[in-house]
Amino acid sequence: GIQVEQSPPDLILQEGANSTLRCNFSDSVNNLQWFHQNPWGQLINLFYIPSGTKQNGRLSATTVATERYSLLYISSSQTTDSGVYFCAVPPLRSGGSNYKLTFGKGTLLTVNP
Amino acid sequence: NAGVTQTPKFQVLKTGQSMTLQCAQDMNHEYMSWYRQDPGMGLRLIHYSVGAGITDQGEVPNGYNVSRSTTEDFPLRLLSAAPSQTSVYFCASSSPTGLNGYTFGSGTRLTVV
């Protein structure tokens, strides 16, 4: 099946700093999703981004499907950004359908005040 | 609009006991799935469903059963609990196009002693 690798595994920032999280995948995909798991365990969908760039406030994501990677940018980080960030892709030949996803192991982000 | 509701939030079982984790969604999503999350492993798919009456196995299905009699409900049954099933379980739902991404429940923390 498809392999998903995220880097870095851990990241510690001071409040106000910017960061870039990377997600590499082993084959062509029709969509990719980014999730944030807060310190209380809740998983929140951040972006559904098959290709191109999307922005939502201080967060933005870019997927370059032809080169098999996606980037999540966090600008002016805040302590509430702490948690684990996951990327996930659907199976090959699914037409991008979301009936199941393969997740990376995540990036643990700690933002200190 | 409640989204995806999981019950219970916490459960302790003895080895060999059976139980059912409940999952319900009110968004009329066709797709529903169960994942387990273990430290350092990310999220792994247990079972999924693309519609009422249709289920299939994911990456780690052994020891679990599912059924989908209605669009709204997707219970996960542990047949004979084992310590290896100690984990956090997440239910998720999605529309086929996935334009709004996955919606996760708040999780069930299960301990098998």
Side-chain angles (χ1 to χ4, degrees), chain B residues 25-27 33 41-42 63 85-87 93-94 110-112:
Chain B
Q25 54 97 3
D26 61 0
M27 297 170 286
S33 51
M41 299 293 291
Q85 294 179 304
T86 294
S87 187
S93 73
S94 169
L110 175 68
T111 302
V112 182

Side-chain angles (χ1 to χ4, degrees), chain A residues 33 37 48 97-98 100-101, chain B residues 31 35 37 45 97-98 102:
Chain A
Q33 297 185 44
Q37 186 170 38
Y48 170 90
S97 189
N98 280 327
K100 58 181 180 178
L101 298 178
Chain B
Y31 295 169
Y35 292 83
Q37 185 176 27
L45 182 66
T97 60
Y102 258 35

Side-chain angles (χ1 to χ4, degrees), chain A residues 31 33 35 37 40-45 48 54 84 86 96-106, chain B residues 31 33 35 37 40-43 45 48 50 57 90 94-102 104-106:
Chain A
N31 77 65
Q33 297 185 44
F35 297 88
Q37 186 170 38
W40 296 271
Q42 182 65 38
L43 281 155
I44 305 297
N45 187 287
Y48 170 90
K54 289 187 177 180
V84 183
F86 293 100
S97 189
N98 280 327
Y99 59 91
K100 58 181 180 178
L101 298 178
T102 297
F103 283 77
K105 289 185 167 54
Chain B
Y31 295 169
S33 51
Y35 292 83
Q37 185 176 27
M41 299 293 291
L43 283 90
L45 182 66
Y48 66 97
V50 297
Q57 296 180 353
F90 288 96
S94 169
S95 64
T97 60
L99 292 180
N100 294 322
Y102 258 35
F104 278 93
S106 57

Side-chain angles (χ1 to χ4, degrees), chain B residues 7-71:
Chain B
T7 57
K9 294 191 185 305
F10 302 94
Q11 183 72 49
V12 178
L13 288 179
K14 293 182 179 179
T15 297
Q17 287 185 315
S18 62
M19 79 160 294
T20 299
L21 279 60
Q22 302 292 344
C23 176
Q25 54 97 3
D26 61 0
M27 297 170 286
N28 202 32
H29 283 168
E30 289 90 337
Y31 295 169
M32 295 186 75
S33 51
W34 277 101
Y35 292 83
R36 60 178 288 173
Q37 185 176 27
D38 303 293
M41 299 293 291
L43 283 90
R44 293 182 292 168
L45 182 66
I46 305 171
H47 285 285
Y48 66 97
S49 168
V50 297
I54 306 170
T55 63
D56 206 347
Q57 296 180 353
E59 181 184 356
V60 288
N62 292 341
Y64 308 95
N65 272 356
V66 293
S67 60
R68 184 101 179 266
S69 57
T70 66
T71 299

Side-chain angles (χ1 to χ4, degrees), chain A residues 18-86:
Chain A
N18 303 327
S19 63
T20 301
L21 282 57
R22 187 177 181 100
C23 174
N24 292 335
F25 37 93
S26 60
D27 210 326
S28 299
V29 298
N30 287 320
N31 77 65
L32 182 141
Q33 297 185 44
W34 282 97
F35 297 88
H36 175 222
Q37 186 170 38
N38 65 26
W40 296 271
Q42 182 65 38
L43 281 155
I44 305 297
N45 187 287
L46 296 175
F47 293 103
Y48 170 90
I49 181 165
S51 62
T53 298
K54 289 187 177 180
Q55 181 150 9
N56 185 0
R58 296 180 294 102
L59 273 60
S60 64
T62 295
T63 295
V64 184
T66 53
E67 297 188 20
R68 303 177 186 175
Y69 73 89
S70 182
L71 302 174
L72 179 68
Y73 304 97
I74 304 174
S75 64
S76 302
S77 59
Q78 300 176 358
T79 56
T80 52
D81 295 329
S82 295
V84 183
Y85 290 81
F86 293 100

Side-chain angles (χ1 to χ4, degrees), chain A residues 1-3 10 14 50 54 80 89 99 106:
Chain A
I2 194 165
Q3 305 299 312
D10 301 278
Q14 286 300 122
K54 289 187 177 180
T80 52
V89 297
Y99 59 91

